[in-house]
Amino acid sequence: MGFGLLKVGNLLCLLFTIFMMGELWMVLLLKERKEPSELKLLRMLKARGGLVDDSRFWNLEKGYQGEVLFDKWFSALDGEWIVVNDLLLEYAGSLFQIDSLVIGADRVYLFEVKNFEGDFYLDEGKWMSISNNEIKNPLLQLQRCETALRQLLRSLGYQTSIESSLIFINPEFTLFNCSPKLPFVFCSQLNRFSKKLLKQSSSSARLNARPSRLAEKLCELHMEKSPYERLPDYRYEELRKGIVCVGCGGMDMKLVYMSFCCINCSAKQDCSVAVLRAIYEFYHLFPNMQISTNQIYDWTGGLISKKAIRRVLKANFKLIGHAKSSKYVIDKV
Ligand SMILES: [Zn+2]
């Protein structure tokens, strides 16, 4: 029994190849997880002192790290599945998000991943932290998601059964007063849960074209832009200028020969790479502002010569216009 993790363009072709491979079992990753754009932007703002309240950043960061841990765990499993990560779908005017959807031959697994940490308890359906603060009920979220997914699948002509689970990926999480019948998988149960999944996969038929068509259809229906994104107000003048460290996210950088070195964590990055990164940050944070040598010189806090900035801009962007009205544009980011 083998294992493979593949990214595919034409899934149907690939599945045919797999059937030809006989006993080789595969986890097919049809849609990779990407770091949410909101999280990327909040990280840029945080580094430059543009976040008064960073709770949203930490929530997103923690959630994303949990999902990455889940992906790592799942990719190491045996079995034959198609994995579609991070879907934003719509049914009857309502949006729903799926952390991880795993399509097997005879059923669909819906996984909602939570990276909660600490002690919590259930009190008549309410989710409470040990310090008696109520938190958003993740079970309700899972149930709503399952209902919407079932309706969507039916509308696409699929009566496939759905098995939903809340995965608590963090080993430091404890939930008191909960029934073992609830669809929860705690970190300590992951090994047993993987055995159950494998058993279900090996006792069902091999994957055929129908589930793979469903996976492709769901990817087509996925919406890229999340309306849940909510960026705080920020202004160029208020953000700290300079180069952000790739290691620690700080801005105590010094230029040593042709590299930027971090005074805090000693991370090093080639000067032109660091400038290019700073330009992309600028572009994402201020898409309506013009990219010019002088502008980037100001954005990078005067740490790099205009000559060096011009060189990076010329090598990576297209210059349009003349003299004072000239600006650099990015074809694709
Ligand atoms: Zn650093």
PDB file of all heavy atoms in Angstrom, residues 64-76:
ATOM      1  N   TYR A  64      -5.801  29.575  11.184  1.00  0.00           N
ATOM      2  CA  TYR A  64      -5.054  29.108  10.010  1.00  0.00           C
ATOM      3  C   TYR A  64      -3.988  28.077  10.407  1.00  0.00           C
ATOM      4  O   TYR A  64      -3.839  27.041   9.748  1.00  0.00           O
ATOM      5  CB  TYR A  64      -4.410  30.311   9.304  1.00  0.00           C
ATOM      6  CG  TYR A  64      -3.588  29.925   8.106  1.00  0.00           C
ATOM      7  CD1 TYR A  64      -4.200  29.375   6.975  1.00  0.00           C
ATOM      8  CD2 TYR A  64      -2.207  30.083   8.087  1.00  0.00           C
ATOM      9  CE1 TYR A  64      -3.452  29.000   5.870  1.00  0.00           C
ATOM     10  CE2 TYR A  64      -1.455  29.710   6.999  1.00  0.00           C
ATOM     11  CZ  TYR A  64      -2.079  29.177   5.881  1.00  0.00           C
ATOM     12  OH  TYR A  64      -1.331  28.792   4.793  1.00  0.00           O
ATOM     13  N   GLN A  65      -3.294  28.339  11.507  1.00  0.00           N
ATOM     14  CA  GLN A  65      -2.267  27.387  11.967  1.00  0.00           C
ATOM     15  C   GLN A  65      -2.904  26.036  12.292  1.00  0.00           C
ATOM     16  O   GLN A  65      -2.326  24.978  12.016  1.00  0.00           O
ATOM     17  CB  GLN A  65      -1.533  27.918  13.216  1.00  0.00           C
ATOM     18  CG  GLN A  65      -0.675  29.159  12.980  1.00  0.00           C
ATOM     19  CD  GLN A  65       0.292  29.010  11.815  1.00  0.00           C
ATOM     20  OE1 GLN A  65       0.754  27.919  11.517  1.00  0.00           O
ATOM     21  NE2 GLN A  65       0.575  30.100  11.122  1.00  0.00           N
ATOM     22  N   GLY A  66      -4.113  26.057  12.855  1.00  0.00           N
ATOM     23  CA  GLY A  66      -4.836  24.819  13.159  1.00  0.00           C
ATOM     24  C   GLY A  66      -5.172  24.055  11.887  1.00  0.00           C
ATOM     25  O   GLY A  66      -5.027  22.834  11.815  1.00  0.00           O
ATOM     26  N   GLU A  67      -5.611  24.787  10.877  1.00  0.00           N
ATOM     27  CA  GLU A  67      -5.970  24.146   9.604  1.00  0.00           C
ATOM     28  C   GLU A  67      -4.729  23.536   8.938  1.00  0.00           C
ATOM     29  O   GLU A  67      -4.799  22.445   8.368  1.00  0.00           O
ATOM     30  CB  GLU A  67      -6.628  25.172   8.672  1.00  0.00           C
ATOM     31  CG  GLU A  67      -8.036  25.544   9.120  1.00  0.00           C
ATOM     32  CD  GLU A  67      -8.518  26.863   8.553  1.00  0.00           C
ATOM     33  OE1 GLU A  67      -7.870  27.398   7.628  1.00  0.00           O
ATOM     34  OE2 GLU A  67      -9.539  27.377   9.042  1.00  0.00           O
ATOM     35  N   VAL A  68      -3.618  24.235   9.045  1.00  0.00           N
ATOM     36  CA  VAL A  68      -2.365  23.707   8.472  1.00  0.00           C
ATOM     37  C   VAL A  68      -1.965  22.407   9.188  1.00  0.00           C
ATOM     38  O   VAL A  68      -1.549  21.431   8.556  1.00  0.00           O
ATOM     39  CB  VAL A  68      -1.237  24.768   8.566  1.00  0.00           C
ATOM     40  CG1 VAL A  68       0.124  24.177   8.211  1.00  0.00           C
ATOM     41  CG2 VAL A  68      -1.559  25.946   7.651  1.00  0.00           C
ATOM     42  N   LEU A  69      -2.143  22.388  10.508  1.00  0.00           N
ATOM     43  CA  LEU A  69      -1.842  21.166  11.282  1.00  0.00           C
ATOM     44  C   LEU A  69      -2.749  20.013  10.847  1.00  0.00           C
ATOM     45  O   LEU A  69      -2.306  18.872  10.707  1.00  0.00           O
ATOM     46  CB  LEU A  69      -2.052  21.426  12.781  1.00  0.00           C
ATOM     47  CG  LEU A  69      -0.925  22.090  13.536  1.00  0.00           C
ATOM     48  CD1 LEU A  69      -1.363  22.357  14.971  1.00  0.00           C
ATOM     49  CD2 LEU A  69       0.321  21.200  13.536  1.00  0.00           C
ATOM     50  N   PHE A  70      -4.020  20.347  10.634  1.00  0.00           N
ATOM     51  CA  PHE A  70      -4.970  19.327  10.188  1.00  0.00           C
ATOM     52  C   PHE A  70      -4.544  18.770   8.819  1.00  0.00           C
ATOM     53  O   PHE A  70      -4.546  17.559   8.604  1.00  0.00           O
ATOM     54  CB  PHE A  70      -6.390  19.921  10.105  1.00  0.00           C
ATOM     55  CG  PHE A  70      -7.383  18.981   9.470  1.00  0.00           C
ATOM     56  CD1 PHE A  70      -7.962  17.969  10.213  1.00  0.00           C
ATOM     57  CD2 PHE A  70      -7.707  19.101   8.120  1.00  0.00           C
ATOM     58  CE1 PHE A  70      -8.861  17.077   9.620  1.00  0.00           C
ATOM     59  CE2 PHE A  70      -8.600  18.213   7.525  1.00  0.00           C
ATOM     60  CZ  PHE A  70      -9.176  17.206   8.278  1.00  0.00           C
ATOM     61  N   ASP A  71      -4.178  19.665   7.916  1.00  0.00           N
ATOM     62  CA  ASP A  71      -3.760  19.231   6.569  1.00  0.00           C
ATOM     63  C   ASP A  71      -2.572  18.283   6.659  1.00  0.00           C
ATOM     64  O   ASP A  71      -2.495  17.290   5.942  1.00  0.00           O
ATOM     65  CB  ASP A  71      -3.346  20.444   5.714  1.00  0.00           C
ATOM     66  CG  ASP A  71      -4.524  21.359   5.425  1.00  0.00           C
ATOM     67  OD1 ASP A  71      -5.674  20.939   5.637  1.00  0.00           O
ATOM     68  OD2 ASP A  71      -4.285  22.503   5.006  1.00  0.00           O
ATOM     69  N   LYS A  72      -1.649  18.629   7.538  1.00  0.00           N
ATOM     70  CA  LYS A  72      -0.442  17.818   7.709  1.00  0.00           C
ATOM     71  C   LYS A  72      -0.845  16.420   8.201  1.00  0.00           C
ATOM     72  O   LYS A  72      -0.357  15.406   7.717  1.00  0.00           O
ATOM     73  CB  LYS A  72       0.478  18.504   8.732  1.00  0.00           C
ATOM     74  CG  LYS A  72       1.914  18.083   8.618  1.00  0.00           C
ATOM     75  CD  LYS A  72       2.752  18.911   9.557  1.00  0.00           C
ATOM     76  CE  LYS A  72       4.056  18.186   9.826  1.00  0.00           C
ATOM     77  NZ  LYS A  72       4.741  18.691  10.981  1.00  0.00           N
ATOM     78  N   TRP A  73      -1.745  16.394   9.187  1.00  0.00           N
ATOM     79  CA  TRP A  73      -2.203  15.119   9.733  1.00  0.00           C
ATOM     80  C   TRP A  73      -2.912  14.314   8.647  1.00  0.00           C
ATOM     81  O   TRP A  73      -2.628  13.140   8.441  1.00  0.00           O
ATOM     82  CB  TRP A  73      -3.151  15.374  10.917  1.00  0.00           C
ATOM     83  CG  TRP A  73      -3.862  14.149  11.380  1.00  0.00           C
ATOM     84  CD1 TRP A  73      -3.339  13.139  12.126  1.00  0.00           C
ATOM     85  CD2 TRP A  73      -5.226  13.783  11.094  1.00  0.00           C
ATOM     86  NE1 TRP A  73      -4.287  12.163  12.331  1.00  0.00           N
ATOM     87  CE2 TRP A  73      -5.455  12.534  11.711  1.00  0.00           C
ATOM     88  CE3 TRP A  73      -6.265  14.392  10.387  1.00  0.00           C
ATOM     89  CZ2 TRP A  73      -6.681  11.878  11.635  1.00  0.00           C
ATOM     90  CZ3 TRP A  73      -7.489  13.747  10.314  1.00  0.00           C
ATOM     91  CH2 TRP A  73      -7.688  12.501  10.934  1.00  0.00           C
ATOM     92  N   PHE A  74      -3.812  14.965   7.920  1.00  0.00           N
ATOM     93  CA  PHE A  74      -4.607  14.215   6.947  1.00  0.00           C
ATOM     94  C   PHE A  74      -3.758  13.714   5.783  1.00  0.00           C
ATOM     95  O   PHE A  74      -3.965  12.609   5.276  1.00  0.00           O
ATOM     96  CB  PHE A  74      -5.767  15.065   6.412  1.00  0.00           C
ATOM     97  CG  PHE A  74      -6.806  14.223   5.733  1.00  0.00           C
ATOM     98  CD1 PHE A  74      -7.844  13.670   6.455  1.00  0.00           C
ATOM     99  CD2 PHE A  74      -6.705  13.913   4.381  1.00  0.00           C
ATOM    100  CE1 PHE A  74      -8.773  12.829   5.846  1.00  0.00           C
ATOM    101  CE2 PHE A  74      -7.623  13.077   3.766  1.00  0.00           C
ATOM    102  CZ  PHE A  74      -8.667  12.542   4.506  1.00  0.00           C
ATOM    103  N   SER A  75      -2.786  14.512   5.363  1.00  0.00           N
ATOM    104  CA  SER A  75      -1.974  14.115   4.200  1.00  0.00           C
ATOM    105  C   SER A  75      -1.118  12.888   4.497  1.00  0.00           C
ATOM    106  O   SER A  75      -0.625  12.237   3.593  1.00  0.00           O
ATOM    107  CB  SER A  75      -1.105  15.285   3.727  1.00  0.00           C
ATOM    108  OG  SER A  75      -0.147  15.570   4.714  1.00  0.00           O
ATOM    109  N   ALA A  76      -0.947  12.578   5.790  1.00  0.00           N
ATOM    110  CA  ALA A  76      -0.134  11.406   6.149  1.00  0.00           C
ATOM    111  C   ALA A  76      -0.980  10.131   6.240  1.00  0.00           C
ATOM    112  O   ALA A  76      -0.455   9.061   6.522  1.00  0.00           O
ATOM    113  CB  ALA A  76       0.579  11.660   7.473  1.00  0.00           C
TER     114      ALA A  76
END
